[in-house]
Amino acid sequence: MEKEVNRRQFIKTVAAGTASAAALSAMGPLPQAFAEEAKDQSKAPSFGGKKQFAGTGLVRMVTDDLAYIGVDDRRIQLFENVYPVPRGVSYNSYLLLDEKTVLFDTVDRTAVGPFLENLELALKGRSLDYLIIQHMEPDHAAGIGAVMARYPQVKIFCSELAAVIINQFFAFDPIKNGGEVIKEGMTLSTGRHTLTFVAAPMVHWPEVMMTYDTTDGTLFSADAFGTFGALNGNLFADQTDFKKESLADARRYYTNIVGKYGKQVMSVLDKASSIKIERICPLHGPIWREDLGWFIDKYVHWATYEPEDSGDSVVLYGSVYGNTENAANILASRLSDGGRRNVKVYDVSKTHPSELIAEAFRVKHLAFACMTYNMDMFTPMKNLLNDFAAHNLQNRDYSLIESGSWSPAAGKKMDAVLSEMKNMRKIGDTVTFLSSPDEETEKQITALAEKVLGAPVNVPEAPKAAATQWKCTVCGYIYEGDTIADDYVCPVCGAGKDAFEKIG
Ligand code: FEO
């Protein structure tokens, strides 16, 4: 029975293109093509003399003997089936061409075909000696079976926990099949290069092991230092206007994927501070070889929950008919009138929570305006605040506006979630209004903005109604004013008051 279950699992992995050679042989009689593939690399089907995919493969050299063999994915809509990636994503994989050939991770199942083509091209007929598995999440691990089927002699190196997870996904124990467990501090010589390993639990799964090449100063950082977005041919961050074009993608990637684990990220950054890093090769996004300090500093801010833009405000509203949106806009306007720059306002029903989580990590002050729904927060706001808490957001200032048509309750509900988060400071009293903001609501919102800013806000006066107009019947000159003085004289033709007629 157990064998039958495993067989079904195996068939699933074959269908996914992830069956391993050992799993193949353990399963008894198997389809001939796979058995052949597993038996002898020289008989592996490779691409039958033709490229399976258009083009010539996309092997890029990071250094003289380190190749990038990853794949851009622009077809993906939702990364991890939850995060929109309108600019795509890259699944990075690296091949070290030393006396031993060393593969660092594979790719997502959707990218296995072009990845195998890159691997074959980069190897140029050499065998694949080592596969270092740093992270077992399937966006990097789905290609393990395909690699083992083509290169059955490859020796796997992975953490103890990674070996367990490999067995869970592939019904294959890499250690019982010639692999080796790597531990922090252990070294591996591949010829000219010496690799050492750095445990990075929860960055982003518990089994993660980063690799540091002590010879060239390359840190293979697994998910850390990744960025959403396809590479588009730009292998290195310094080949792009990263700060302008990609920082938001990097922030959204970090905060949503590992934002919860700031303590663990700081622990890895502490370890990294004692080694000389020349370049960082992450599993997503561009490689870093310049301005590393700037990017690491961003990580320190995110991992310690310190805002990057401590003078900025973000206003988040949940509104059904626009009245609470109106209140949010009034607050944003008062903050701007009071001197705050770059105030941002977001509709929580429309903006993806992953963008709002990234924004919440960016700024110090968050304002929430929410209508009452089922005696609770409006559902998208409730989901968002729970998401903030799940991502361990902390150390922020917040202000609240609530509305309702008979019994406003959203304020208390928001406060209950926010006040439970670590080191949160409420600024001002909750502003409450019924159905639609009125003049009194505006006053309260102005007072709230003043509390946030710690300074008075000069509210611009509303434009006055147009004055009455009088037309000179002699020359056509227009005079504006409620009345005309008895001694008024037209400045154009000199006619007296009696020559003017009221026109509006
Ligand atoms: Fe990119 Fe945690 O996988």
Side-chain angles (χ1 to χ4, degrees):
M1 184 60 184
E2 188 189 344
K3 189 153 186 168
E4 186 51 34
V5 171
N6 282 343
R7 174 177 283 281
R8 268 191 258 124
Q9 186 168 358
F10 163 72
I11 289 166
K12 258 173 40 187
T13 59
V14 168
T18 53
S20 71
L24 285 162
S25 61
M27 290 301 128
L30 293 167
Q32 190 60 22
F34 289 109
E36 286 298 307
E37 190 175 27
K39 234 174 22 186
D40 184 343
Q41 185 193 338
S42 67
K43 292 183 188 170
S46 69
F47 304 100
K50 277 202 301 192
K51 294 288 170 247
Q52 187 174 352
F53 295 88
T56 56
L58 286 164
V59 177
R60 311 286 300 281
M61 296 313 291
V62 180
T63 65
D64 288 346
D65 59 1
L66 179 64
Y68 172 87
I69 56 169
V71 178
D72 274 350
D73 183 355
R74 295 186 193 81
R75 292 190 178 190
I76 186 172
Q77 297 292 319
L78 295 175
F79 183 76
E80 292 188 357
N81 208 18
V82 60
Y83 305 116
V85 278
R87 287 168 289 283
V89 71
S90 70
Y91 310 113
N92 298 351
S93 172
Y94 304 92
L95 181 70
L96 183 63
L97 295 155
D98 202 0
E99 288 172 27
K100 297 286 187 189
T101 54
V102 186
L103 177 63
F104 295 90
D105 298 299
T106 68
V107 294
D108 186 81
R109 60 178 291 186
T110 56
V112 166
F115 158 73
L116 288 175
E117 183 176 312
N118 288 346
L119 175 58
E120 187 176 315
L121 287 165
L123 282 169
K124 288 187 177 164
R126 294 182 65 184
S127 63
L128 181 63
D129 298 310
Y130 298 157
L131 167 58
I132 295 177
I133 297 169
Q134 303 183 112
H135 183 18
M136 266 309 294
E137 193 166 10
D139 55 330
H140 310 291
I144 290 173
V147 166
M148 295 204 59
R150 282 182 168 74
Y151 306 97
Q153 78 292 340
V154 70
K155 177 174 178 174
I156 288 180
F157 291 85
C158 65
S159 69
E160 201 164 357
L161 185 52
V164 172
I165 299 175
I166 290 169
N167 211 0
Q168 289 166 186
F169 275 114
F170 294 99
F172 166 69
D173 184 332
I175 307 308
K176 285 184 182 158
N177 287 277
E180 190 172 335
V181 167
I182 47 177
K183 293 188 188 300
E184 176 159 287
M186 177 183 143
T187 58
L188 173 67
S189 173
T190 62
R192 187 176 78 83
H193 294 260
T194 300
L195 308 177
T196 186
F197 302 100
V198 182
M202 301 321 298
V203 188
H204 134 240
W205 277 16
E207 87 296 357
V208 171
M209 190 68 86
M210 296 180 184
T211 309
Y212 177 59
D213 178 347
T214 61
T215 309
D216 279 0
T218 302
L219 178 67
F220 297 92
S221 60
D223 269 343
F225 300 106
T227 302
F228 285 142
L231 292 182
N232 302 321
N234 305 298
L235 190 56
F236 299 97
D238 57 83
Q239 294 170 328
T240 66
D241 192 349
F242 189 91
K243 292 175 190 175
K244 193 170 149 203
E245 303 283 337
S246 302
L247 174 59
D249 272 335
R251 185 187 299 112
R252 192 162 66 88
Y253 171 84
Y254 171 88
T255 54
N256 285 278
I257 306 291
V258 282
K260 180 177 180 179
Y261 301 107
K263 203 170 156 192
Q264 290 87 343
V265 172
M266 280 311 294
S267 161
V268 173
L269 290 177
D270 279 349
K271 291 183 206 174
S273 66
S274 62
I275 56 178
K276 186 164 166 35
I277 301 172
E278 296 292 339
R279 67 191 63 76
I280 297 175
C281 292
L283 287 178
H284 301 286
I287 295 165
W288 287 82
R289 63 181 175 185
E290 289 181 10
D291 229 357
L292 271 61
W294 174 83
F295 201 34
I296 290 170
D297 182 61
K298 290 291 174 198
Y299 261 65
V300 171
H301 276 86
W302 299 333
T304 56
Y305 306 96
E306 282 296 327
E308 292 164 81
D309 300 322
S310 53
D312 284 11
S313 281
V314 161
V315 181
L316 304 157
Y317 71 84
S319 180
V320 173
Y321 294 108
N323 294 295
T324 310
E325 175 182 4
N326 196 2
N329 282 327
I330 293 168
L331 177 60
S333 302
R334 294 295 88 82
L335 289 168
S336 179
D337 292 339
R340 186 139 290 192
R341 290 171 56 78
N342 295 318
V343 178
K344 296 272 197 302
V345 180
Y346 293 100
D347 182 342
V348 300
S349 298
K350 246 186 82 174
T351 315
H352 195 272
S354 64
E355 288 189 29
L356 301 179
I357 285 169
E359 282 291 80
F361 270 70
R362 184 178 65 80
V363 303
K364 177 74 175 172
H365 174 244
L366 301 163
F368 301 89
C370 187
M371 51 83 69
T372 300
Y373 204 77
N374 291 331
M375 289 308 291
D376 203 331
M377 294 171 253
F378 185 38
T379 313
M381 182 68 85
K382 185 175 179 176
N383 292 341
L384 178 67
L385 291 193
N386 287 336
D387 229 358
F388 281 0
H391 283 79
N392 218 1
L393 181 71
Q394 52 190 270
N395 190 30
R396 294 301 187 267
D397 295 340
Y398 67 95
S399 311
L400 300 176
I401 298 173
E402 66 171 350
S403 68
S405 285
W406 56 94
S407 183
K412 270 193 183 150
K413 297 286 184 178
M414 289 191 285
D415 216 359
V417 179
L418 290 160
S419 60
E420 278 298 303
M421 291 153 65
K422 200 172 162 191
N423 199 18
M424 301 291 275
R425 186 173 69 117
K426 185 178 178 188
I427 300 185
D429 296 327
T430 302
V431 173
T432 302
F433 67 91
L434 294 171
S435 298
S436 176
D438 58 12
E439 280 186 16
E440 177 54 28
T441 314
E442 282 206 54
K443 278 186 198 159
Q444 290 181 24
I445 291 176
T446 301
L448 180 59
E450 290 177 336
K451 283 262 186 196
V452 171
L453 299 167
V457 172
N458 291 319
V459 182
E461 282 190 29
K464 288 183 182 150
T468 306
Q469 292 188 325
W470 309 78
K471 184 177 178 183
C472 176
T473 54
V474 177
C475 69
Y477 175 75
I478 303 291
Y479 169 80
E480 287 190 350
D482 291 338
T483 57
I484 296 186
D486 288 342
D487 57 352
Y488 183 77
V489 174
C490 176
V492 176
C493 68
K497 175 193 172 188
D498 292 344
F500 280 81
E501 66 178 17
K502 195 173 179 181
I503 59 169

